[in-house]
């Protein structure tokens, strides 16, 4: 990458961050809710992107882990406990369950593994709906309080949006470090060729379990933010459709790309709102847009950009080779 390209990427990143901080100051309550939902769903999609995009393990259970985190936050904060305690419980619980759920991945792959995680997602939904003594069943849990962060209340929409945005920033930094660490390289090796990774001394068994556990824990983090965002939860939002939506976010944004979940969540959360001017046709237009995108680029939005940049690099390399060849031919 040239110095100009590097500085351009930094400038674009700073501009986007500044826009996310400054522009929402003029939004109404509903606009801030949608942006907060985007931040929360991005965290959940980042966890699935780690499991699917980097480690290559199919999962249809991410929505269930969001539900586990949400119910942990709702139950504990309604009893007067701080949200940070609920966050710790959600992370530990989702990490442990995700680790156990990863064991089937040691024996089955692809659509067989998808069916296993689908079964777990269904089981979790049934627990949310039927165990009234814990989750209050179909009546749900209401009046979920929003936290105080370092003495600042987040009851109003704008402070809570900044709380969600700050949480997204912290998770993004942690994920950026993880995928560039030896763990991240091991996850990619596991996705590309498990047999070769094993021959190189990578413990594919342990990394498969870790991919499920860490990705599930991020789903729990998203759930602990979702509960105070909506301030009311019931089992309906955590059915299979949420897991499918998160899967779509990862695939549409770009599976295996760091910024894929950001774009995918933007498409899934914000695009339907932008198409509401079409009234009853906006969901149809949304579905058609997603299908056309995946037909044109199965690797998602960032796949298009990656293919364009790869073609540019190939043309530049070809031009350099041609110049070098002509110089050699004309040399005395």
């Amino acid at each position: 990458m040239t110095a100009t390209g590097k500085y351009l990427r930094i400038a674009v990143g700073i501009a986007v961050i500044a826009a996310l901080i400054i522009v929402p100051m003029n939004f109404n309550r509903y606009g801030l809710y949608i942006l907060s939902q985007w931040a929360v769903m991005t965290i959940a999609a980042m966890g699935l992107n780690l499991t699917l995009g980097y480690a290559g393990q199919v999962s249809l259970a991410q929505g269930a882990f969001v539900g586990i985190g949400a119910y942990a936050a709702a139950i504990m904060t309604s009893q007067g406990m701080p949200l940070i305690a609920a966050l710790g419980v959600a992370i530990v619980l989702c990490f442990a369950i995700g680790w156990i759920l990863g064991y089937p991945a040691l024996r089955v792959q692809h659509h067989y593994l998808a069916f296993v995680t689908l079964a777990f997602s269904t089981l979790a939904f049934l627990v949310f709906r039927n165990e009234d003594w814990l989750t209050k069943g179909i009546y749900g849990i209401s009046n979920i309080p929003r936290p105080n962060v370092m003495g600042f209340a987040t009851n109003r929409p704008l402070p809570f949006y900044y709380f969600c945005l700050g949480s997204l920033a912290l998770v993004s930094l942690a994920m950026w470090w993880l995928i560039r660490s030896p763990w991240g390289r091991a996850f990619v090796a596991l996705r590309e060729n498990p047999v070769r990774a094993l021959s190189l001394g990578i413990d594919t068994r342990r990394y498969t379990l870790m991919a499920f556990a860490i990705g599930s824990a991020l789903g729990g983090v998203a759930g602990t933010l979702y509960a105070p965002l909506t301030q009311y939860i019931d089992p309906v939002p955590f059915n299979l459709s949420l897991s499918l939506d998160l899967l779509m976010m990862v695939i549409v944004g770009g599976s295996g790309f760091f910024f894929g979940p950001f774009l995918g969540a933007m498409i899934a959360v914000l695009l339907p709102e932008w198409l509401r001017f079409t009234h009853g046709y906006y969901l149809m237009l949304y579905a058609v847009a997603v299908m056309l995108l995946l037909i044109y680029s199965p690797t998602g939005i960032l796949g298009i950009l990656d293919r364009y940049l790869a073609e540019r690099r190939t043309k530049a390399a070809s031009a350099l080779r041609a110049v070098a060849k002509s110089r050699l031919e004309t040399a005395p």
Side-chain angles (χ1 to χ4, degrees):
M1 181 187 299
T2 63
T4 303
K6 181 179 179 180
Y7 291 137
L8 179 61
R9 291 179 62 178
I10 294 174
V12 171
I14 293 174
V16 171
I17 293 172
L20 288 173
I21 295 173
I22 297 173
V23 174
M25 291 181 179
N26 299 317
F27 283 14
N28 58 21
R29 179 183 295 269
Y30 183 70
L32 291 171
Y33 171 79
I34 293 298
L35 278 181
S36 300
Q37 187 181 18
W38 165 78
V40 171
M41 290 298 106
T42 300
I43 294 175
M46 289 175 72
L48 183 57
N49 191 40
L50 177 66
T51 305
L52 173 64
Y54 287 100
Q57 305 300 313
V58 180
S59 175
L60 292 178
Q62 192 71 355
F65 290 108
V66 175
I68 291 172
Y71 272 102
I75 294 169
M76 294 180 67
T77 57
S78 296
Q79 300 298 321
M81 299 182 187
L83 186 64
I84 189 67
L87 176 63
V89 170
I91 290 175
V92 171
L93 189 59
C94 291
F95 186 93
I97 297 175
W99 183 280
I100 296 172
L101 190 62
Y103 277 99
L106 302 177
R107 300 186 62 86
V108 296
Q109 291 291 321
H110 308 303
H111 55 283
Y112 299 104
L113 180 57
F115 278 117
V116 173
T117 56
L118 171 63
F120 172 76
S121 182
T122 303
L123 174 63
F125 175 76
L126 292 176
V127 170
F128 298 152
R129 190 184 65 181
N130 297 329
E131 300 302 318
D132 296 1
W133 62 275
L134 180 64
T135 65
K136 296 187 179 179
I138 60 175
Y139 299 103
I141 302 174
S142 58
N143 298 321
I144 302 171
R146 289 181 175 176
N148 290 330
V149 181
M150 301 177 65
F152 294 96
T154 61
N155 295 327
R156 297 178 62 83
L158 185 60
F160 191 78
Y161 162 71
Y162 286 140
F163 175 64
C164 293
L165 187 64
S167 301
L168 174 59
L170 292 176
V171 172
S172 300
L173 290 174
M175 185 62 66
W176 184 270
W177 170 83
L178 178 63
I179 62 178
R180 278 157 179 74
S181 69
W183 282 23
R185 291 190 287 272
F187 288 144
V188 174
L190 177 65
R191 177 193 67 192
E192 296 297 331
N193 194 322
V195 176
R196 181 178 297 176
L198 184 62
S199 68
L200 293 175
I202 296 175
D203 188 348
T204 56
R205 177 187 178 92
R206 181 165 66 95
Y207 281 105
T208 298
L209 298 176
M210 288 298 296
F212 269 95
I214 297 175
S216 302
L218 289 179
V221 172
T224 58
L225 295 173
Y226 181 84
L229 170 63
T230 59
Q231 297 188 290
Y232 168 80
I233 61 170
D234 63 359
V236 174
F238 310 115
N239 57 22
L240 179 61
S241 63
L242 177 57
S243 294
L244 295 176
D245 285 343
L246 291 170
L247 180 63
M248 187 195 69
M249 293 177 198
V250 172
I251 294 175
V252 169
S255 178
F257 293 96
F258 179 79
F259 290 105
F262 293 81
L263 289 176
M266 185 179 297
I267 296 297
V269 176
L270 301 183
L271 184 59
E273 300 299 325
W274 296 339
L275 293 176
R276 282 190 182 274
F277 70 92
T278 61
H279 303 292
Y281 297 99
Y282 77 98
L283 287 178
M284 295 174 59
L285 292 174
Y286 169 68
V288 170
V290 171
M291 287 190 293
L292 291 177
L293 170 65
L294 293 181
I295 291 172
Y296 176 72
S297 175
T299 53
I301 297 174
L302 291 183
I304 299 173
L305 179 61
D306 184 65
R307 188 166 63 236
Y308 169 73
L309 294 177
E311 290 175 354
R312 284 193 58 183
R313 288 192 295 266
T314 301
K315 290 180 180 179
S318 299
L320 289 175
R321 284 196 298 269
V323 170
K325 182 178 179 181
S326 63
R327 287 177 179 177
L328 289 173
E329 291 175 349
T330 57

